[in-house]
Amino acid sequence: HSSLVFLTQSSYDDYGVTSQTSTSPPFLKQILPKLLGFGLLCGIIVSLTVILTVTLILTREKYKRRVVIATRLSTTPLIANRYYINEDQDISQYRYNSLPAYFQKRNASGEVDEHDYLIFEATSLAALPKSDFDVDASKFVWSSQRVPTSDPDNQQWRHVDLNDATVIDPEVSSPLGIAQPRVVYSEDRETYFMFYVTKGKDGKGDTIRQLAMRHLPKTEWEQGNFGPGAWSAEKAVLAHITSVDAGVMLHKSFNNDTYLFFGEHPNIRIARAVDGDLEDWEELPSKDSQNILLRPRDGRHSDEVSFDSERVSPGPVPLQLSEDQGGHYLFLYNSRQVVDGYQKENGRDFWNFRGDIGYVILDRDDNTKVIDRASVPLLSPTLDWERCDFSTKSQFHTGSVVGLEPNTVQVAGWKRIGEPEEDRFLIYYSGCGSFIGAAELKVQFQK
């Protein structure tokens, strides 16, 4: 049998075990509280440092100022007519060339052509013009680089002939022509979509501007076709709206979100595709202005008039920025402000506007939410062919008028250049409603 033995003090002694009371040395009693206090302080400091670091990382865009810088690639236009250069060196036979939409041509394998293609609005004078503003119905034509390059000193563009450059002619229902092209390619549908404005008259004889769309299927573009007959039939978009400035689609195939940003004077409004269909659209609810993406900025009648205080309208399709920029979307827009007392050099006495290019940043998860907006314009009309001020140009025909929209720059097409993390873009824009130029954009946080 086993037995349980309790060792008393005497029992310890019997087993040869000596009982002692443990005491700490005096110096430990003095230093231990200090060590514990120091350790606690270090822990608090480390914890606060971690919390602050995480907070700064999560909210770094609030602690850094994002800037978007535009630099012109040339002081002369890429595409102009004989009134700007001379009769022997004209690039376009059309009198007015504007609103260039960037177009990436693909071959049958889906590979992108290295040349840049532009589809833009072109207008000629009427057969018996009474003035330089008496024009035919505008149409869409195209041009491309002869040699693929971003070098502004070596830009050579295909001649735009009256007979072989047409992309789309206006329908009979658009007697004043078509305008404001925007081209978007859908990767998952392998289809190009074009949104544009038709110009006509209502029953009272008033001008109406309505949004329309066409698409270019793979069966056409893989054969190199994108001219007349290649695009689908014209289809009205939001036909009840008759004062549209422009429209562009943002299609994100990874979650099937598709928005349409369109200008209805003076705002940029929002519609969305119906059940994923990219041909039928509905406006977002008007409650709490959910269907308005951007309004003109306040200050139209103040001493300091904002560059976008009169009107805003959409530019090209928004493009996503790098992760360093939060993966948000950069969206360019065209704007207008009233300039009192502006004296025109080309006879458009009623024209008292200045048109600039601005930008907003759209949230990566909710593309209908603006999280940042330009306080000053990205690009303003300063060059002669942007302002329609040709008084100092000796090569101009005396008294010639070569601008439909004085003192105005507008953007309709762009592309990403360089590596994605560089956040660099090349934009194609029009000046004076008559010429086409290029500029580079760089997005960065100010150091």
Side-chain angles (χ1 to χ4, degrees):
H1 299 282
S2 59
S3 60
L4 183 62
V5 178
F6 291 90
L7 298 179
T8 63
Q9 182 63 48
S10 58
S11 302
Y12 272 97
D13 293 337
D14 294 339
Y15 280 87
V17 179
T18 303
S19 175
Q20 296 181 350
T21 302
S22 177
T23 59
S24 301
F27 78 92
L28 285 179
K29 291 183 178 181
Q30 297 174 2
I31 197 172
L32 188 58
K34 295 181 179 180
L35 289 174
L36 292 174
F38 180 72
L40 181 61
L41 179 61
C42 289
I44 293 174
I45 292 175
V46 170
S47 299
L48 290 176
T49 302
V50 171
I51 293 173
L52 181 60
T53 301
V54 172
T55 302
L56 287 174
I57 292 175
L58 293 177
T59 61
R60 65 179 176 177
E61 294 184 22
K62 296 182 180 180
Y63 293 89
K64 290 184 179 180
R65 182 186 175 192
R66 181 187 289 106
V67 294
V68 184
I69 303 170
T71 305
R72 288 175 176 83
L73 295 185
S74 176
T75 57
T76 58
L78 301 178
I79 296 178
N81 57 32
R82 62 190 174 93
Y83 294 95
Y84 186 83
I85 307 174
N86 61 55
E87 294 187 8
D88 297 325
Q89 297 178 351
D90 62 309
I91 299 177
S92 175
Q93 290 187 342
Y94 289 90
R95 186 64 175 269
Y96 305 113
N97 307 271
S98 64
L99 278 304
Y102 176 65
F103 178 73
Q104 289 183 304
K105 188 177 178 182
R106 289 169 166 79
N107 60 25
S109 301
E111 298 172 337
V112 177
D113 194 317
E114 294 181 352
H115 300 74
D116 283 358
Y117 285 75
L118 297 177
I119 295 177
F120 54 93
E121 179 183 340
T123 312
S124 296
L125 290 176
L128 297 173
K130 299 177 181 179
S131 72
D132 288 287
F133 307 113
D134 188 3
V135 296
D136 278 337
S138 53
K139 58 167 42 175
F140 295 153
V141 301
W142 71 277
S143 183
S144 65
Q145 292 175 316
R146 295 184 182 276
V147 179
T149 178
S150 297
D151 184 354
D153 296 325
N154 293 309
Q155 292 278 354
Q156 297 182 16
W157 286 78
R158 177 185 179 277
H159 182 77
V160 182
D161 189 86
L162 294 175
N163 299 317
D164 68 353
T166 300
V167 176
I168 296 176
D169 280 309
E171 301 282 346
V172 176
S173 58
S174 305
L176 301 181
I178 50 180
Q180 297 281 349
R182 303 289 189 275
V183 178
V184 181
Y185 180 71
S186 172
E187 294 281 354
D188 58 337
R189 287 170 170 77
E190 297 184 313
T191 300
Y192 293 91
F193 291 85
M194 182 190 294
F195 292 82
Y196 58 96
V197 174
T198 63
K199 299 182 293 183
K201 298 283 188 178
D202 62 12
K204 300 179 180 179
D206 296 327
T207 300
I208 58 175
R209 297 171 59 94
Q210 295 176 289
L211 193 60
M213 66 169 291
R214 296 174 185 256
H215 67 268
L216 181 69
K218 184 177 181 180
T219 53
E220 293 291 345
W221 61 253
E222 69 179 358
Q223 302 297 325
N225 301 328
F226 60 92
W231 296 80
S232 67
E234 180 175 282
K235 181 173 183 177
V237 177
L238 304 173
H240 62 286
I241 301 176
T242 58
S243 58
V244 177
D245 293 325
V248 65
M249 179 179 74
L250 174 58
H251 175 54
K252 298 195 301 183
S253 58
F254 65 87
N255 61 4
N256 212 34
D257 285 344
T258 304
Y259 293 105
L260 176 66
F261 301 133
F262 66 98
E264 182 185 18
H265 186 81
N267 305 314
I268 297 178
R269 296 179 57 194
I270 311 170
R272 63 186 167 200
V274 177
D275 297 328
D277 187 345
L278 301 187
E279 295 194 12
D280 294 319
W281 304 85
E282 63 181 4
E283 299 173 70
L284 291 191
S286 59
K287 181 180 179 181
D288 300 325
S289 298
Q290 295 180 46
N291 63 349
I292 296 179
L293 179 73
L294 198 66
R295 301 176 184 272
R297 208 185 308 257
D298 293 336
R300 176 179 178 182
H301 302 291
S302 65
D303 294 335
E304 297 183 3
V305 179
S306 300
F307 75 92
D308 49 5
S309 57
E310 176 69 17
R311 187 189 76 182
V312 291
S313 61
V317 57
L319 294 180
Q320 190 168 21
L321 298 172
S322 67
E323 287 299 322
D324 186 56
Q325 293 288 339
H328 301 301
Y329 284 76
L330 179 62
F331 183 34
L332 306 182
Y333 66 92
N334 300 310
S335 67
R336 182 177 288 180
Q337 66 167 301
V338 174
V339 181
D340 294 331
Y342 173 62
Q343 298 298 318
K344 281 66 61 185
E345 298 293 337
N346 68 353
R348 301 209 80 171
D349 294 332
F350 65 90
W351 195 274
N352 62 336
F353 305 109
R354 191 187 84 185
D356 303 287
I357 298 173
Y359 75 87
V360 293
I361 304 295
L362 305 179
D363 184 82
R364 67 182 298 171
D365 299 316
D366 182 359
N367 303 141
T368 67
K369 179 181 178 182
V370 174
I371 62 175
D372 196 7
R373 183 175 183 175
S375 58
V376 295
L378 269 179
L379 210 62
S380 295
T382 57
L383 302 176
D384 58 358
W385 58 271
E386 297 170 346
R387 298 186 66 251
C388 300
D389 179 9
F390 308 108
S391 57
T392 60
K393 289 277 186 182
S394 60
Q395 68 266 42
F396 282 87
H397 301 288
T398 303
S400 289
V401 178
V402 291
L404 281 180
E405 296 183 272
N407 210 26
T408 298
V409 289
Q410 297 182 81
V411 61
W414 64 340
K415 69 172 184 176
R416 190 187 309 276
I417 56 177
E419 299 299 324
E421 63 271 13
E422 293 180 318
D423 292 312
R424 295 170 54 227
F425 305 90
L426 176 66
I427 70 168
Y428 290 104
Y429 70 98
S430 61
C432 195
S434 305
F435 308 97
I436 293 174
E440 180 180 333
L441 297 188
K442 172 66 176 175
V443 185
Q444 60 189 26
F445 283 117
Q446 193 174 55
K447 297 180 180 180

